[in-house]
mmCIF file of all heavy atoms in Angstrom:
data_model
loop_
_atom_site.group_PDB
_atom_site.id
_atom_site.type_symbol
_atom_site.label_atom_id
_atom_site.label_comp_id
_atom_site.label_asym_id
_atom_site.label_seq_id
_atom_site.Cartn_x
_atom_site.Cartn_y
_atom_site.Cartn_z
ATOM 1 N N ASN A 245 -21.974 -1.966 7.631
ATOM 2 C CA ASN A 245 -22.978 -2.054 6.561
ATOM 3 C C ASN A 245 -22.668 -1.102 5.413
ATOM 4 O O ASN A 245 -22.788 -1.468 4.243
ATOM 5 C CB ASN A 245 -24.377 -1.760 7.106
ATOM 6 C CG ASN A 245 -24.921 -2.875 7.958
ATOM 7 O OD1 ASN A 245 -24.429 -3.998 7.921
ATOM 8 N ND2 ASN A 245 -25.932 -2.565 8.742
ATOM 9 N N THR A 246 -22.273 0.110 5.736
ATOM 10 C CA THR A 246 -21.989 1.098 4.697
ATOM 11 C C THR A 246 -20.760 0.701 3.882
ATOM 12 O O THR A 246 -20.762 0.826 2.651
ATOM 13 C CB THR A 246 -21.819 2.500 5.327
ATOM 14 O OG1 THR A 246 -22.984 2.803 6.101
ATOM 15 C CG2 THR A 246 -21.651 3.563 4.258
ATOM 16 N N CYS A 247 -19.724 0.206 4.547
ATOM 17 C CA CYS A 247 -18.533 -0.269 3.812
ATOM 18 C C CYS A 247 -18.898 -1.424 2.885
ATOM 19 O O CYS A 247 -18.496 -1.437 1.712
ATOM 20 C CB CYS A 247 -17.442 -0.703 4.785
ATOM 21 S SG CYS A 247 -16.544 0.637 5.578
ATOM 22 N N MET A 248 -19.660 -2.374 3.408
ATOM 23 C CA MET A 248 -20.039 -3.539 2.592
ATOM 24 C C MET A 248 -20.914 -3.114 1.413
ATOM 25 O O MET A 248 -20.714 -3.573 0.283
ATOM 26 C CB MET A 248 -20.768 -4.574 3.450
ATOM 27 C CG MET A 248 -19.903 -5.174 4.545
ATOM 28 S SD MET A 248 -18.528 -6.145 3.933
ATOM 29 C CE MET A 248 -19.382 -7.618 3.464
ATOM 30 N N ASP A 249 -21.885 -2.236 1.656
ATOM 31 C CA ASP A 249 -22.750 -1.759 0.576
ATOM 32 C C ASP A 249 -21.948 -1.023 -0.483
ATOM 33 O O ASP A 249 -22.137 -1.231 -1.681
ATOM 34 C CB ASP A 249 -23.849 -0.837 1.120
ATOM 35 C CG ASP A 249 -24.878 -1.556 1.960
ATOM 36 O OD1 ASP A 249 -24.929 -2.813 1.920
ATOM 37 O OD2 ASP A 249 -25.638 -0.870 2.677
ATOM 38 N N SER A 250 -21.046 -0.158 -0.050
ATOM 39 C CA SER A 250 -20.224 0.604 -1.002
ATOM 40 C C SER A 250 -19.306 -0.309 -1.796
ATOM 41 O O SER A 250 -19.095 -0.093 -2.987
ATOM 42 C CB SER A 250 -19.393 1.651 -0.266
ATOM 43 O OG SER A 250 -20.226 2.631 0.295
ATOM 44 N N ALA A 251 -18.764 -1.330 -1.151
ATOM 45 C CA ALA A 251 -17.879 -2.271 -1.852
ATOM 46 C C ALA A 251 -18.652 -3.047 -2.920
ATOM 47 O O ALA A 251 -18.126 -3.298 -4.003
ATOM 48 C CB ALA A 251 -17.239 -3.237 -0.866
ATOM 49 N N ARG A 252 -19.883 -3.407 -2.609
ATOM 50 C CA ARG A 252 -20.696 -4.137 -3.599
ATOM 51 C C ARG A 252 -21.033 -3.262 -4.799
ATOM 52 O O ARG A 252 -21.108 -3.735 -5.921
ATOM 53 C CB ARG A 252 -21.992 -4.634 -2.957
ATOM 54 C CG ARG A 252 -21.838 -5.917 -2.179
ATOM 55 C CD ARG A 252 -23.185 -6.494 -1.788
ATOM 56 N NE ARG A 252 -23.854 -5.718 -0.763
ATOM 57 C CZ ARG A 252 -23.727 -5.913 0.538
ATOM 58 N NH1 ARG A 252 -22.927 -6.864 0.981
ATOM 59 N NH2 ARG A 252 -24.369 -5.161 1.401
ATOM 60 N N GLN A 253 -21.241 -1.979 -4.559
ATOM 61 C CA GLN A 253 -21.662 -1.066 -5.625
ATOM 62 C C GLN A 253 -20.492 -0.503 -6.424
ATOM 63 O O GLN A 253 -20.672 -0.078 -7.556
ATOM 64 C CB GLN A 253 -22.464 0.090 -5.033
ATOM 65 C CG GLN A 253 -23.764 -0.342 -4.415
ATOM 66 C CD GLN A 253 -24.422 0.754 -3.601
ATOM 67 O OE1 GLN A 253 -23.881 1.845 -3.469
ATOM 68 N NE2 GLN A 253 -25.586 0.449 -3.047
ATOM 69 N N ALA A 254 -19.306 -0.507 -5.838
ATOM 70 C CA ALA A 254 -18.153 0.128 -6.468
ATOM 71 C C ALA A 254 -17.514 -0.767 -7.508
ATOM 72 O O ALA A 254 -17.598 -1.985 -7.454
ATOM 73 C CB ALA A 254 -17.114 0.494 -5.412
ATOM 74 N N LYS A 255 -16.851 -0.119 -8.429
ATOM 75 C CA LYS A 255 -16.018 -0.844 -9.383
ATOM 76 C C LYS A 255 -14.798 -1.351 -8.625
ATOM 77 O O LYS A 255 -14.410 -0.779 -7.609
ATOM 78 C CB LYS A 255 -15.535 0.101 -10.487
ATOM 79 C CG LYS A 255 -16.634 0.707 -11.313
ATOM 80 C CD LYS A 255 -16.004 1.658 -12.301
ATOM 81 C CE LYS A 255 -17.015 2.704 -12.730
ATOM 82 N NZ LYS A 255 -16.418 3.759 -13.521
ATOM 83 N N PRO A 256 -14.161 -2.413 -9.124
ATOM 84 C CA PRO A 256 -12.934 -2.873 -8.460
ATOM 85 C C PRO A 256 -11.901 -1.750 -8.409
ATOM 86 O O PRO A 256 -11.723 -1.012 -9.370
ATOM 87 C CB PRO A 256 -12.451 -4.014 -9.353
ATOM 88 C CG PRO A 256 -13.643 -4.442 -10.127
ATOM 89 C CD PRO A 256 -14.528 -3.227 -10.259
ATOM 90 N N ARG A 257 -11.279 -1.615 -7.283
ATOM 91 C CA ARG A 257 -10.290 -0.547 -7.099
ATOM 92 C C ARG A 257 -8.899 -1.081 -7.426
ATOM 93 O O ARG A 257 -8.599 -2.236 -7.235
ATOM 94 C CB ARG A 257 -10.328 -0.043 -5.663
ATOM 95 C CG ARG A 257 -11.695 0.511 -5.339
ATOM 96 C CD ARG A 257 -11.667 1.310 -4.063
ATOM 97 N NE ARG A 257 -12.989 1.773 -3.743
ATOM 98 C CZ ARG A 257 -13.536 2.880 -4.232
ATOM 99 N NH1 ARG A 257 -12.863 3.628 -5.065
ATOM 100 N NH2 ARG A 257 -14.742 3.248 -3.893
ATOM 101 N N VAL A 258 -8.059 -0.194 -7.890
ATOM 102 C CA VAL A 258 -6.693 -0.547 -8.244
ATOM 103 C C VAL A 258 -5.884 -0.725 -6.959
ATOM 104 O O VAL A 258 -5.966 0.091 -6.043
ATOM 105 C CB VAL A 258 -6.064 0.564 -9.112
ATOM 106 C CG1 VAL A 258 -4.618 0.255 -9.436
ATOM 107 C CG2 VAL A 258 -6.871 0.763 -10.376
ATOM 108 N N ALA A 259 -5.138 -1.809 -6.892
ATOM 109 C CA ALA A 259 -4.298 -2.070 -5.719
ATOM 110 C C ALA A 259 -3.134 -1.103 -5.699
ATOM 111 O O ALA A 259 -2.712 -0.592 -6.732
ATOM 112 C CB ALA A 259 -3.796 -3.505 -5.744
ATOM 113 N N ILE A 260 -2.599 -0.884 -4.536
ATOM 114 C CA ILE A 260 -1.430 -0.014 -4.402
ATOM 115 C C ILE A 260 -0.244 -0.683 -5.077
ATOM 116 O O ILE A 260 0.045 -1.840 -4.839
ATOM 117 C CB ILE A 260 -1.111 0.242 -2.920
ATOM 118 C CG1 ILE A 260 -2.239 1.033 -2.295
ATOM 119 C CG2 ILE A 260 0.217 0.945 -2.761
ATOM 120 C CD1 ILE A 260 -2.058 1.252 -0.813
ATOM 121 N N ASN A 261 0.424 0.055 -5.929
ATOM 122 C CA ASN A 261 1.612 -0.469 -6.611
ATOM 123 C C ASN A 261 2.850 -0.065 -5.837
ATOM 124 O O ASN A 261 2.948 1.047 -5.340
ATOM 125 C CB ASN A 261 1.715 0.110 -8.025
ATOM 126 C CG ASN A 261 0.600 -0.385 -8.906
ATOM 127 O OD1 ASN A 261 0.140 -1.503 -8.759
ATOM 128 N ND2 ASN A 261 0.143 0.468 -9.823
ATOM 129 N N ASP A 262 3.775 -0.985 -5.738
ATOM 130 C CA ASP A 262 5.044 -0.657 -5.108
ATOM 131 C C ASP A 262 5.881 0.128 -6.107
ATOM 132 O O ASP A 262 6.239 -0.372 -7.166
ATOM 133 C CB ASP A 262 5.795 -1.930 -4.714
ATOM 134 C CG ASP A 262 5.169 -2.576 -3.515
ATOM 135 O OD1 ASP A 262 4.099 -3.188 -3.667
ATOM 136 O OD2 ASP A 262 5.751 -2.431 -2.436
ATOM 137 N N VAL A 263 6.134 1.384 -5.775
ATOM 138 C CA VAL A 263 6.913 2.245 -6.648
ATOM 139 C C VAL A 263 8.373 2.121 -6.257
ATOM 140 O O VAL A 263 8.716 2.329 -5.092
ATOM 141 C CB VAL A 263 6.449 3.715 -6.496
ATOM 142 C CG1 VAL A 263 7.269 4.638 -7.366
ATOM 143 C CG2 VAL A 263 4.970 3.831 -6.803
ATOM 144 N N PRO A 264 9.241 1.764 -7.216
ATOM 145 C CA PRO A 264 10.656 1.658 -6.865
ATOM 146 C C PRO A 264 11.206 3.030 -6.465
ATOM 147 O O PRO A 264 10.952 4.020 -7.119
ATOM 148 C CB PRO A 264 11.322 1.138 -8.132
ATOM 149 C CG PRO A 264 10.327 1.246 -9.210
ATOM 150 C CD PRO A 264 8.987 1.458 -8.592
ATOM 151 N N LEU A 265 11.929 3.061 -5.386
ATOM 152 C CA LEU A 265 12.495 4.309 -4.897
ATOM 153 C C LEU A 265 14.016 4.176 -4.841
ATOM 154 O O LEU A 265 14.549 3.119 -4.586
ATOM 155 C CB LEU A 265 11.946 4.616 -3.494
ATOM 156 C CG LEU A 265 10.424 4.712 -3.391
ATOM 157 C CD1 LEU A 265 10.014 4.765 -1.927
ATOM 158 C CD2 LEU A 265 9.935 5.948 -4.116
ATOM 159 N N GLN A 266 14.709 5.275 -5.061
ATOM 160 C CA GLN A 266 16.169 5.283 -5.015
ATOM 161 C C GLN A 266 16.626 5.593 -3.593
ATOM 162 O O GLN A 266 16.146 6.528 -2.977
ATOM 163 C CB GLN A 266 16.731 6.357 -5.963
ATOM 164 C CG GLN A 266 16.397 6.121 -7.422
ATOM 165 C CD GLN A 266 17.093 4.878 -7.959
ATOM 166 O OE1 GLN A 266 18.108 4.448 -7.429
ATOM 167 N NE2 GLN A 266 16.541 4.302 -8.998
ATOM 168 N N ALA A 267 17.525 4.804 -3.075
ATOM 169 C CA ALA A 267 18.044 5.018 -1.729
ATOM 170 C C ALA A 267 19.427 5.647 -1.811
ATOM 171 O O ALA A 267 20.213 5.313 -2.674
ATOM 172 C CB ALA A 267 18.136 3.696 -0.990
ATOM 173 N N GLN A 268 19.690 6.571 -0.891
ATOM 174 C CA GLN A 268 20.998 7.209 -0.877
ATOM 175 C C GLN A 268 21.795 6.850 0.373
ATOM 176 O O GLN A 268 22.989 7.062 0.399
ATOM 177 C CB GLN A 268 20.833 8.728 -0.970
ATOM 178 C CG GLN A 268 20.232 9.155 -2.289
ATOM 179 C CD GLN A 268 20.020 10.662 -2.337
ATOM 180 O OE1 GLN A 268 20.232 11.369 -1.367
ATOM 181 N NE2 GLN A 268 19.609 11.147 -3.486
ATOM 182 N N SER A 269 21.128 6.356 1.408
ATOM 183 C CA SER A 269 21.867 6.001 2.615
ATOM 184 C C SER A 269 21.190 4.815 3.289
ATOM 185 O O SER A 269 20.096 4.413 2.929
ATOM 186 C CB SER A 269 21.915 7.190 3.572
ATOM 187 O OG SER A 269 20.652 7.389 4.155
ATOM 188 N N SER A 270 21.846 4.283 4.295
ATOM 189 C CA SER A 270 21.320 3.145 5.031
ATOM 190 C C SER A 270 20.000 3.501 5.706
ATOM 191 O O SER A 270 19.057 2.714 5.686
ATOM 192 C CB SER A 270 22.343 2.696 6.071
ATOM 193 O OG SER A 270 21.806 1.687 6.882
ATOM 194 N N ASN A 271 19.911 4.691 6.322
ATOM 195 C CA ASN A 271 18.674 5.114 6.973
ATOM 196 C C ASN A 271 17.543 5.253 5.960
ATOM 197 O O ASN A 271 16.412 4.885 6.237
ATOM 198 C CB ASN A 271 18.869 6.432 7.728
ATOM 199 C CG ASN A 271 19.653 6.242 9.012
ATOM 200 O OD1 ASN A 271 19.745 5.137 9.532
ATOM 201 N ND2 ASN A 271 20.225 7.330 9.509
ATOM 202 N N GLN A 272 17.855 5.805 4.817
ATOM 203 C CA GLN A 272 16.833 5.945 3.781
ATOM 204 C C GLN A 272 16.396 4.570 3.274
ATOM 205 O O GLN A 272 15.223 4.358 3.008
ATOM 206 C CB GLN A 272 17.352 6.791 2.616
ATOM 207 C CG GLN A 272 17.376 8.267 2.930
ATOM 208 C CD GLN A 272 17.886 9.078 1.765
ATOM 209 O OE1 GLN A 272 18.720 8.606 0.987
ATOM 210 N NE2 GLN A 272 17.397 10.299 1.643
ATOM 211 N N GLU A 273 17.354 3.645 3.155
ATOM 212 C CA GLU A 273 17.008 2.298 2.718
ATOM 213 C C GLU A 273 16.072 1.629 3.710
ATOM 214 O O GLU A 273 15.116 0.972 3.321
ATOM 215 C CB GLU A 273 18.276 1.455 2.545
ATOM 216 C CG GLU A 273 19.082 1.820 1.330
ATOM 217 C CD GLU A 273 20.387 1.039 1.240
ATOM 218 O OE1 GLU A 273 20.597 0.109 2.042
ATOM 219 O OE2 GLU A 273 21.200 1.373 0.363
ATOM 220 N N GLU A 274 16.354 1.812 5.005
ATOM 221 C CA GLU A 274 15.486 1.233 6.029
ATOM 222 C C GLU A 274 14.097 1.852 5.973
ATOM 223 O O GLU A 274 13.092 1.148 6.092
ATOM 224 C CB GLU A 274 16.100 1.438 7.423
ATOM 225 C CG GLU A 274 17.322 0.591 7.663
ATOM 226 C CD GLU A 274 18.013 0.918 8.980
ATOM 227 O OE1 GLU A 274 17.398 1.588 9.840
ATOM 228 O OE2 GLU A 274 19.168 0.488 9.142
ATOM 229 N N GLU A 275 14.032 3.161 5.807
ATOM 230 C CA GLU A 275 12.733 3.849 5.723
ATOM 231 C C GLU A 275 11.963 3.389 4.482
ATOM 232 O O GLU A 275 10.765 3.130 4.557
ATOM 233 C CB GLU A 275 12.947 5.369 5.691
ATOM 234 C CG GLU A 275 11.665 6.166 5.640
ATOM 235 C CD GLU A 275 10.788 5.976 6.861
ATOM 236 O OE1 GLU A 275 11.302 5.685 7.948
ATOM 237 O OE2 GLU A 275 9.559 6.123 6.715
ATOM 238 N N ILE A 276 12.647 3.270 3.367
ATOM 239 C CA ILE A 276 12.011 2.805 2.135
ATOM 240 C C ILE A 276 11.508 1.376 2.313
ATOM 241 O O ILE A 276 10.396 1.042 1.913
ATOM 242 C CB ILE A 276 12.983 2.924 0.943
ATOM 243 C CG1 ILE A 276 13.206 4.410 0.606
ATOM 244 C CG2 ILE A 276 12.457 2.165 -0.273
ATOM 245 C CD1 ILE A 276 14.349 4.658 -0.339
ATOM 246 N N SER A 277 12.321 0.552 2.954
ATOM 247 C CA SER A 277 11.917 -0.828 3.210
ATOM 248 C C SER A 277 10.671 -0.877 4.091
ATOM 249 O O SER A 277 9.739 -1.641 3.822
ATOM 250 C CB SER A 277 13.059 -1.592 3.877
ATOM 251 O OG SER A 277 12.649 -2.896 4.210
ATOM 252 N N ARG A 278 10.629 -0.048 5.146
ATOM 253 C CA ARG A 278 9.444 0.010 6.018
ATOM 254 C C ARG A 278 8.214 0.466 5.240
ATOM 255 O O ARG A 278 7.131 -0.072 5.409
ATOM 256 C CB ARG A 278 9.691 0.937 7.204
ATOM 257 C CG ARG A 278 10.435 0.284 8.349
ATOM 258 C CD ARG A 278 10.386 1.139 9.599
ATOM 259 N NE ARG A 278 11.044 2.434 9.439
ATOM 260 C CZ ARG A 278 12.340 2.654 9.631
ATOM 261 N NH1 ARG A 278 13.128 1.658 9.995
ATOM 262 N NH2 ARG A 278 12.852 3.851 9.463
ATOM 263 N N GLU A 279 8.379 1.476 4.394
ATOM 264 C CA GLU A 279 7.254 1.987 3.608
ATOM 265 C C GLU A 279 6.746 0.928 2.633
ATOM 266 O O GLU A 279 5.539 0.758 2.465
ATOM 267 C CB GLU A 279 7.660 3.255 2.856
ATOM 268 C CG GLU A 279 7.822 4.459 3.753
ATOM 269 C CD GLU A 279 8.380 5.677 3.020
ATOM 270 O OE1 GLU A 279 8.503 5.644 1.776
ATOM 271 O OE2 GLU A 279 8.687 6.665 3.707
ATOM 272 N N GLN A 280 7.666 0.224 1.987
ATOM 273 C CA GLN A 280 7.262 -0.820 1.055
ATOM 274 C C GLN A 280 6.570 -1.968 1.783
ATOM 275 O O GLN A 280 5.591 -2.527 1.297
ATOM 276 C CB GLN A 280 8.463 -1.322 0.249
ATOM 277 C CG GLN A 280 8.950 -0.302 -0.764
ATOM 278 C CD GLN A 280 10.213 -0.745 -1.492
ATOM 279 O OE1 GLN A 280 11.001 -1.520 -0.975
ATOM 280 N NE2 GLN A 280 10.387 -0.223 -2.698
ATOM 281 N N THR A 281 7.071 -2.314 2.971
ATOM 282 C CA THR A 281 6.425 -3.358 3.776
ATOM 283 C C THR A 281 5.026 -2.912 4.175
ATOM 284 O O THR A 281 4.071 -3.691 4.075
ATOM 285 C CB THR A 281 7.270 -3.681 5.024
ATOM 286 O OG1 THR A 281 8.546 -4.161 4.596
ATOM 287 C CG2 THR A 281 6.587 -4.720 5.891
ATOM 288 N N ALA A 282 4.893 -1.661 4.620
ATOM 289 C CA ALA A 282 3.571 -1.144 5.011
ATOM 290 C C ALA A 282 2.611 -1.175 3.823
ATOM 291 O O ALA A 282 1.441 -1.554 3.975
ATOM 292 C CB ALA A 282 3.698 0.271 5.564
ATOM 293 N N ARG A 283 3.079 -0.801 2.642
ATOM 294 C CA ARG A 283 2.220 -0.836 1.450
ATOM 295 C C ARG A 283 1.826 -2.268 1.123
ATOM 296 O O ARG A 283 0.690 -2.537 0.735
ATOM 297 C CB ARG A 283 2.925 -0.182 0.258
ATOM 298 C CG ARG A 283 2.922 1.325 0.318
ATOM 299 C CD ARG A 283 3.312 1.938 -1.012
ATOM 300 N NE ARG A 283 4.620 1.525 -1.474
ATOM 301 C CZ ARG A 283 5.717 2.260 -1.437
ATOM 302 N NH1 ARG A 283 5.670 3.468 -0.949
ATOM 303 N NH2 ARG A 283 6.853 1.801 -1.893
ATOM 304 N N SER A 284 2.761 -3.190 1.288
ATOM 305 C CA SER A 284 2.465 -4.603 1.016
ATOM 306 C C SER A 284 1.426 -5.146 1.998
ATOM 307 O O SER A 284 0.508 -5.872 1.612
ATOM 308 C CB SER A 284 3.734 -5.448 1.092
ATOM 309 O OG SER A 284 4.639 -5.069 0.094
ATOM 310 N N VAL A 285 1.573 -4.788 3.278
ATOM 311 C CA VAL A 285 0.608 -5.231 4.283
ATOM 312 C C VAL A 285 -0.764 -4.630 3.980
ATOM 313 O O VAL A 285 -1.787 -5.319 4.026
ATOM 314 C CB VAL A 285 1.078 -4.864 5.710
ATOM 315 C CG1 VAL A 285 -0.025 -5.080 6.733
ATOM 316 C CG2 VAL A 285 2.320 -5.674 6.076
ATOM 317 N N GLN A 286 -0.778 -3.337 3.659
ATOM 318 C CA GLN A 286 -2.047 -2.684 3.335
ATOM 319 C C GLN A 286 -2.690 -3.327 2.102
ATOM 320 O O GLN A 286 -3.901 -3.563 2.082
ATOM 321 C CB GLN A 286 -1.839 -1.191 3.107
ATOM 322 C CG GLN A 286 -3.147 -0.448 2.894
ATOM 323 C CD GLN A 286 -2.939 1.040 2.700
ATOM 324 O OE1 GLN A 286 -1.876 1.480 2.284
ATOM 325 N NE2 GLN A 286 -3.969 1.807 2.989
ATOM 326 N N ALA A 287 -1.889 -3.616 1.097
ATOM 327 C CA ALA A 287 -2.425 -4.246 -0.110
ATOM 328 C C ALA A 287 -2.951 -5.648 0.195
ATOM 329 O O ALA A 287 -4.014 -6.039 -0.299
ATOM 330 C CB ALA A 287 -1.349 -4.304 -1.196
ATOM 331 N N ALA A 288 -2.233 -6.396 1.030
ATOM 332 C CA ALA A 288 -2.690 -7.745 1.398
ATOM 333 C C ALA A 288 -3.989 -7.667 2.189
ATOM 334 O O ALA A 288 -4.918 -8.445 1.955
ATOM 335 C CB ALA A 288 -1.619 -8.474 2.210
ATOM 336 N N LEU A 289 -4.061 -6.740 3.102
ATOM 337 C CA LEU A 289 -5.281 -6.554 3.884
ATOM 338 C C LEU A 289 -6.437 -6.149 2.981
ATOM 339 O O LEU A 289 -7.546 -6.674 3.093
ATOM 340 C CB LEU A 289 -5.047 -5.502 4.971
ATOM 341 C CG LEU A 289 -6.180 -5.222 5.934
ATOM 342 C CD1 LEU A 289 -6.599 -6.490 6.665
ATOM 343 C CD2 LEU A 289 -5.764 -4.161 6.941
ATOM 344 N N SER A 290 -6.182 -5.248 2.073
ATOM 345 C CA SER A 290 -7.226 -4.806 1.145
ATOM 346 C C SER A 290 -7.637 -5.905 0.181
ATOM 347 O O SER A 290 -8.744 -5.887 -0.345
ATOM 348 C CB SER A 290 -6.755 -3.586 0.359
ATOM 349 O OG SER A 290 -6.555 -2.510 1.237
ATOM 350 N N GLY A 291 -6.746 -6.860 -0.046
ATOM 351 C CA GLY A 291 -7.062 -7.971 -0.938
ATOM 352 C C GLY A 291 -7.940 -9.035 -0.308
ATOM 353 O O GLY A 291 -8.460 -9.907 -1.007
ATOM 354 N N LEU A 292 -8.108 -8.965 1.015
ATOM 355 C CA LEU A 292 -8.994 -9.926 1.672
ATOM 356 C C LEU A 292 -10.440 -9.668 1.266
ATOM 357 O O LEU A 292 -10.826 -8.512 1.075
ATOM 358 C CB LEU A 292 -8.897 -9.791 3.200
ATOM 359 C CG LEU A 292 -7.621 -10.235 3.879
ATOM 360 C CD1 LEU A 292 -7.695 -9.919 5.378
ATOM 361 C CD2 LEU A 292 -7.367 -11.709 3.671
#
């Protein structure tokens, strides 16, 4: 109830933007890819 009430009263919130990141190695690229995927999933969930 509190989440729904707050959402109705709040201004639209800005979605998370995917910030381009520079990769220096394969491990960093994988980590960046995971972070970007997590942000995309969170943004999609928040968009429901």
Side-chain angles (χ1 to χ4, degrees):
N245 287 343
T246 305
C247 284
M248 296 295 283
D249 291 345
S250 293
R252 278 191 289 270
Q253 295 169 358
K255 298 177 204 171
R257 300 194 183 275
V258 177
I260 294 176
N261 293 327
D262 286 75
V263 178
L265 303 170
Q266 297 293 337
Q268 295 178 355
S269 73
S270 174
N271 286 340
Q272 284 180 329
E273 287 176 8
E274 289 173 15
E275 181 63 28
I276 290 168
S277 176
R278 277 192 297 273
E279 288 173 8
Q280 289 175 333
T281 299
R283 283 194 302 256
S284 296
V285 169
Q286 185 179 24
L289 183 58
S290 296
L292 290 176

